[in-house]
Amino acid sequence: LHEGTAVLVYVTEPFSKSSNTKADRNSDANISVLKLNTTKKFTTGIYPYSIMTSTFFPFENGYASVKISSSMQEWCGMTYIEMKNKKNYIFKLDSYFEGESFAEKMVEKKILEDDLWSLIRLNPELLPVGKQMVIPALSFLRLKHVAVKAYKATISLTETTKGRKEYKVEYPTLNRTIT
């Protein structure tokens, strides 16, 4: 673990499904999304890391982001991974690590950890619980160099003694828990 800062910035904007980007012009084909830009900055030894992930979560019929992109920069180089929500999730990875880049990888649709932050903000009643298959945060996948796929997770939502709710995702095979 390393001390650092994380910032989550939520904005609403029109999204063009045809260009898979923020829409520059009004169109009936655009959809409204809650965009979440998450930044994380920390230092490991002498290397400063900067990570930014953007999720584009639709307001209507929102079960998963239409797009997630994440980039990581550090002194050795940078990586960029993007997910497009089509019939399956389509991932593309560009990396300075030899043998890690791939043009396209299709992954069956499962819960996206990166989407949980938008669900907490928009509609916490829809948060999944129980034993689930979850695709971990793209930044985690890159930091740990693990395969882009869904992993078994146990998700719980409990009320604390202070009347707050605690949402927890535990990945046994990844030795990872987020709360």
Side-chain angles (χ1 to χ4, degrees):
L1 296 176
H2 301 281
E3 189 171 322
T5 59
V7 177
L8 284 71
V9 178
Y10 292 91
V11 297
T12 59
E13 63 187 30
F15 186 85
S16 168
K17 289 184 85 173
S18 61
S19 66
N20 204 44
T21 62
K22 177 182 185 275
D24 288 332
R25 295 175 220 13
N26 287 334
S27 167
D28 290 340
N30 294 343
I31 61 170
S32 295
V33 297
L34 179 66
K35 181 174 75 173
L36 169 57
N37 286 331
T38 303
T39 62
K40 299 175 184 176
K41 295 181 186 279
F42 57 93
T43 301
T44 63
I46 62 169
Y47 293 126
Y49 280 74
S50 180
I51 302 171
M52 182 168 179
T53 301
S54 298
T55 62
F56 300 83
F57 196 89
F59 277 109
E60 292 183 23
N61 303 317
Y63 64 93
S65 286
V66 291
K67 174 182 177 176
I68 300 175
S69 58
S70 185
S71 65
M72 179 172 34
Q73 305 80 37
E74 43 100 351
W75 284 1
C76 290
M78 63 180 152
T79 63
Y80 177 80
I81 186 167
E82 180 176 279
M83 181 281 297
K84 295 178 184 177
N85 186 341
K86 301 295 183 187
K87 183 178 178 189
N88 291 300
Y89 296 136
I90 301 172
F91 290 88
K92 180 180 187 290
L93 170 65
D94 292 307
S95 174
Y96 69 91
F97 287 102
E98 183 177 16
E100 283 195 349
S101 295
F102 54 79
E104 280 192 358
K105 178 178 183 176
M106 290 195 314
V107 176
E108 184 181 351
K109 290 186 179 183
K110 299 293 180 186
I111 297 165
L112 295 159
E113 180 185 313
D114 285 314
D115 279 348
L116 297 175
W117 304 105
S118 294
L119 274 175
I120 288 170
R121 177 84 183 226
L122 288 172
N123 198 347
E125 293 79 29
L126 294 180
L127 287 167
V129 294
K131 299 214 180 281
Q132 304 284 346
M133 294 299 290
V134 181
I135 299 170
L138 298 188
S139 60
F140 171 81
L141 295 173
R142 297 308 323 126
L143 283 168
K144 293 296 186 176
H145 304 278
V146 296
V148 177
K149 65 177 192 172
Y151 293 84
K152 290 180 183 178
T154 302
I155 305 175
S156 60
L157 180 61
T158 58
E159 194 159 324
T160 68
T161 56
K162 296 180 181 178
R164 295 188 179 127
K165 292 186 178 179
E166 181 179 275
Y167 192 64
K168 184 185 287 189
V169 182
E170 298 175 273
Y171 301 91
T173 59
L174 297 174
N175 194 26
R176 171 176 167 76
T177 299
I178 62 165
T179 305

